[in-house]
């Protein structure tokens, strides 16, 4: 009678992953499914967030255009006090100014409503004047039209959202 020798472990037929047992592969698969599900439920996917709106505006004093004045937009966390910003435009001879705006791609949408605060400061002759400050839920608009009048004492700048087409 001939005696049978067991096959070495490397020669046995394997099911599932080569380095993991089937039980471990199932466990890892369940964790990956749970992780993917949590990412989707919490909003972990690419989206576009507006940081600074595109602004087309005009600065006047009464009816006269004001030229050579810096307009600063303070994004996201503008709470109090004007200061220079990297989002700046200078008015031309007609008092017109344009800020390109800024958006970015985000990956995780925070749970709940985002509080949005932003504002405009006007720098004239080294003096910073608060044009307006806005706070709302969500992101700033993508494109706005703005009119600023330095003769006003409160809410110097008024704006309206431009329809996106």
């Amino acid at each position: 009678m001939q005696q049978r020798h067991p096959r070495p472990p490397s020669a046995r037929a394997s099911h599932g992953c080569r380095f993991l047992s089937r039980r471990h592969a199932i466990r890892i698969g369940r964790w990956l499914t749970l992780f993917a599900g949590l990412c989707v439920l919490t909003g972990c996917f690419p989206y576009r967030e507006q940081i600074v709106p595109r602004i087309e505006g005009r600065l006047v004093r009464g009816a006269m255009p004001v030229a050579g004045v810096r307009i600063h937009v303070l994004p996201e966390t503008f709470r109090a006090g004007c200061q220079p910003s990297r989002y700046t435009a200078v008015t031309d001879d007609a008092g017109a100014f344009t800020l390109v705006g800024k958006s970015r791609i985000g990956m995780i949408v925070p749970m709940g409503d985002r509080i949005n605060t932003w504002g405009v400061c006007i720098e004239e002759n080294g003096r910073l004047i608060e044009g307006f400050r806005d706070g709302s839920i969500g992101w700033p608009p993508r494109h706005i039209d703005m009119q600023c009048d330095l003769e006003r004492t409160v809410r110097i700048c008024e704006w309206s959202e431009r329809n996106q087409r």
Side-chain angles (χ1 to χ4, degrees):
M1 190 156 191
Q2 203 174 19
Q3 205 175 20
R4 293 184 116 186
H5 297 286
R7 285 198 238 175
S10 61
R12 290 185 189 157
S14 65
H15 300 286
C17 292
R18 184 175 190 177
F19 299 107
L20 298 173
S21 69
R22 180 182 171 121
R23 185 177 66 190
H24 285 107
I26 290 171
R27 185 176 293 160
I28 289 171
R30 285 181 183 162
W31 279 109
L32 287 174
T33 303
L34 177 65
F35 177 73
L38 287 174
C39 286
V40 169
L41 288 176
T42 59
C44 185
F45 52 89
Y47 69 100
R48 184 174 157 184
E49 53 189 34
Q50 192 70 31
I51 307 303
V52 175
R54 175 176 174 79
I55 301 174
E56 293 181 28
R58 188 161 186 254
L59 178 67
V60 295
R61 179 175 278 116
M64 299 298 296
V66 182
V69 175
R70 291 186 182 280
I71 308 294
H72 302 281
V73 176
L74 299 164
E76 297 185 55
T77 57
F78 179 49
R79 291 191 172 83
C82 277
Q83 56 192 349
S85 170
R86 66 179 175 180
Y87 306 106
T88 301
V90 178
T91 59
D92 63 12
D93 291 336
F97 62 92
T98 302
L99 275 132
V100 178
K102 172 135 173 74
S103 63
R104 67 180 174 211
I105 302 297
M107 286 302 292
I108 297 177
V109 178
M111 302 273 302
D113 294 326
R114 178 188 185 283
I115 304 298
N116 163 43
T117 57
W118 66 287
V120 169
C121 292
I122 301 165
E123 184 179 354
E124 182 183 36
N125 299 326
R127 192 180 101 202
L128 287 164
I129 304 163
E130 184 177 296
F132 88 98
R133 184 182 339 177
D134 187 49
S136 60
I137 294 176
W139 298 102
R142 288 191 179 159
H143 196 166
I144 63 174
D145 292 316
M146 182 175 286
Q147 297 296 320
C148 301
D149 188 348
L150 290 173
E151 281 194 349
R152 291 189 215 138
T153 57
V154 179
R155 196 129 173 126
I156 293 170
C157 297
E158 294 179 348
W159 60 273
S160 60
E161 187 171 355
R162 183 177 282 195
N163 292 333
Q164 297 292 317
R165 291 186 180 115

